[in-house]
Amino acid sequence: MALALAWAAKGMYLTAPNPRIGCVIVRDGVVIGAGHTQPAGQAHAEIQAMRDAAARGNDVRGATAYVTLEPCSHYGRTPPCSNALVQAGIGRVVAAMTDPNPLVAGRGLAQLEAAGIAVTSGVLAEQAYELNIGFFSRMRRGLPWVRLKVAASLDGATALADGESQWITGPEARLDGHAWRARAQAILTGIGTIKADDPQLNVRGIDTPLQPRRVIVDSRLEIALDARILQGEPCWIVAAAESPDKADALRAAGHEVIVLPNAHGKVDLPALMQELGRREINEVHVEAGAKLNASMVREACVDELLVYLAPSLIGPGQGMFDLPALARLADKRQLRFHDLARVGDDIRILARFAAPQTAIN
Ligand SMILES: NC(=O)c1ccc[n+]([C@@H]2O[C@H](COP(=O)([O-])OP(=O)(O)OC[C@H]3O[C@@H](n4cnc5c(N)ncnc54)[C@H](OP(=O)(O)O)[C@@H]3O)[C@@H](O)[C@H]2O)c1
């Protein structure tokens, strides 16, 4: 299964909105075929692994297929993998997890069992879950998994008071940040960051065939038409009101304007997360300033923080989250460290909210 997970990881940047799945077929302790999910509409991991076995002249009849998610049992963009495994005469299937997709949800394994195939599930389930955390989130909650990235000095500054922020962390951390961008299907930022930095917010330095969709929260459509982010692939610009001329100009340039107001004349962030889920975005990567970061946290739209800390002190500057002062320490927002790593000269922290959001009104 560990090998199947390694194959799944090879599909990291390829398979969205489908999950990244790997499959390894084994006979007598020898791997006779392996593969991972292809881009949406093309072959799933099981089919790839069986094709690999055939290409190598190996007979899969009676062999064991290790697959990082329950084989699908429905006609989606491709026919069911459960049928293909039965037809090929696979003897045993070991799955890391059952499929959270309500169209599958145990039916794939049940079909295999009904056809006389021995089935085991729940092997290295945690690793399999992490690899597809966004797909699981979307299937279970209708919401993407939202990861909010900040780069800060050791004393927590993300920019100088005048907005200068390039660069706080070193080249290794910045490249690592691009890998996290690449695994998301959307990168979310605010108009404040666009005005201050004029960023492109695309993936650079990572070999990926797909670029995440750039999503800009801009209540009053203030974005300049010559902003660098608008010069590449189409963006989704999320406003609180239509302002027709600007919206028309953005649409004429190929971008989409989405209007989602809240009661305060800003963008309704929980509604935006729902909309991104509907648009089959599995993982959202937030890279914004302290204002939008704080609103995202306050409105329970964030699942985890990806924090890079540089070994430097900046002094007064902009913080990570423009949150209101607390009257009682007991009201602090509690997270737990999920992963810690050293990246170049910097430290990377992955922290999750202790009580994850369950639903958004
Ligand atoms: N070090 C880092 O990791 C990092 C990453 C990104 C940015 N930055 C820095 O952050 C600074 C910009 O920060 P910022 O706080 O001014 O900009 P921001 O957080 O990127 O954008 C804030 C703007 O988003 C808009 N918005 C719309 N709906 C909102 C809602 N529901 N809640 C909150 N905001 C909403 C507001 O403007 P409207 O009401 O006009 O729409 C608000 O002013 C820059 O200096 C940049 O360099 C640092």
Side-chain angles (χ1 to χ4, degrees):
M1 188 60 79
L3 193 54
L5 285 164
W7 273 90
K10 294 183 194 199
M12 181 66 87
Y13 309 132
L14 290 180
T15 65
N18 289 341
R20 304 124 181 169
I21 307 299
C23 178
V24 168
I25 302 176
V26 176
R27 178 200 295 288
D28 300 330
V30 176
V31 173
I32 59 171
H36 63 78
T37 319
Q38 298 298 297
Q42 298 179 36
H44 289 181
E46 301 88 327
I47 309 300
Q48 285 291 105
M50 288 193 286
R51 283 181 189 160
D52 180 48
R56 295 204 249 154
N58 292 327
D59 183 356
V60 301
R61 277 175 297 174
T64 299
Y66 292 85
V67 55
T68 61
L69 190 70
E70 171 185 13
C72 68
S73 56
H74 66 299
Y75 282 87
R77 295 181 185 90
T78 58
C81 291
S82 52
N83 289 3
L85 291 165
V86 171
Q87 279 159 19
I90 290 280
R92 179 174 175 232
V93 171
V94 182
M97 296 184 79
T98 52
D99 191 336
N101 185 343
L103 296 172
V104 185
R107 286 186 201 96
L109 293 178
Q111 275 185 17
L112 296 173
E113 263 185 326
I117 296 178
V119 166
T120 308
S121 179
V123 177
L124 297 185
E126 203 175 316
Q127 288 94 317
Y129 167 74
E130 290 292 331
L131 205 51
N132 288 303
I133 196 161
F135 177 77
F136 280 93
S137 168
R138 189 163 64 80
M139 288 298 144
R140 289 174 177 164
R141 312 184 296 183
L143 292 167
W145 180 261
V146 181
R147 184 177 295 121
L148 186 153
K149 177 245 167 180
V150 266
S153 61
L154 205 48
D155 54 345
T158 58
L160 301 186
D162 69 1
E164 185 184 343
S165 66
Q166 291 169 348
W167 300 106
I168 291 174
T169 48
E172 295 90 348
R174 300 206 302 272
L175 182 62
D176 191 67
H178 277 268
W180 287 93
R181 278 185 187 175
R183 65 172 283 169
Q185 289 74 54
I187 298 179
L188 181 79
T189 195
I191 184 64
T193 296
I194 302 293
K195 284 180 181 170
D197 299 346
D198 196 16
Q200 301 178 70
L201 286 178
N202 54 7
V203 177
R204 301 184 296 277
I206 303 291
D207 186 16
T208 173
L210 301 173
Q211 282 286 338
R213 176 75 57 174
R214 278 93 39 90
V215 183
I216 305 151
V217 171
D218 178 10
S219 313
R220 286 163 286 155
L221 287 184
E222 289 178 296
I223 191 164
L225 290 171
D226 63 356
R228 291 210 299 167
I229 199 166
L230 297 181
Q231 311 315 311
E233 296 288 306
C235 296
W236 294 341
I237 301 143
V238 193
E242 174 69 46
S243 53
D245 290 351
K246 189 63 170 289
D248 286 349
L250 289 164
R251 290 187 182 117
H255 307 290
E256 185 174 349
V257 176
I258 302 169
V259 180
L260 288 174
N262 69 10
H264 313 290
K266 302 267 180 202
V267 169
D268 185 334
L269 299 170
L272 175 57
M273 296 309 116
Q274 300 268 14
E275 180 60 23
L276 295 178
R278 265 194 295 278
R279 292 177 182 223
E280 298 193 316
I281 301 292
N282 292 337
E283 295 181 31
V284 174
H285 179 99
V286 182
E287 234 175 286
K291 289 193 193 117
L292 185 56
N293 286 351
S295 291
M296 288 288 289
V297 166
R298 291 179 77 175
E299 294 173 39
C301 292
V302 180
D303 295 301
E304 71 182 357
L305 306 184
L306 173 66
V307 181
Y308 294 91
L309 283 182
S312 61
L313 300 174
I314 289 184
Q318 300 187 24
M320 301 182 194
F321 300 93
D322 199 359
L323 287 168
L326 291 181
R328 298 175 335 132
L329 192 55
D331 293 337
K332 65 185 185 291
R333 286 164 204 278
Q334 192 62 52
L335 295 106
R336 63 184 168 75
F337 292 134
H338 178 74
D339 186 61
L340 302 171
R342 192 171 173 143
V343 184
D345 290 335
D346 304 312
I347 294 226
R348 186 187 69 201
I349 300 168
L350 206 54
R352 292 185 178 163
F353 284 94
Q357 59 175 14
T358 45
I360 287 177
N361 299 319

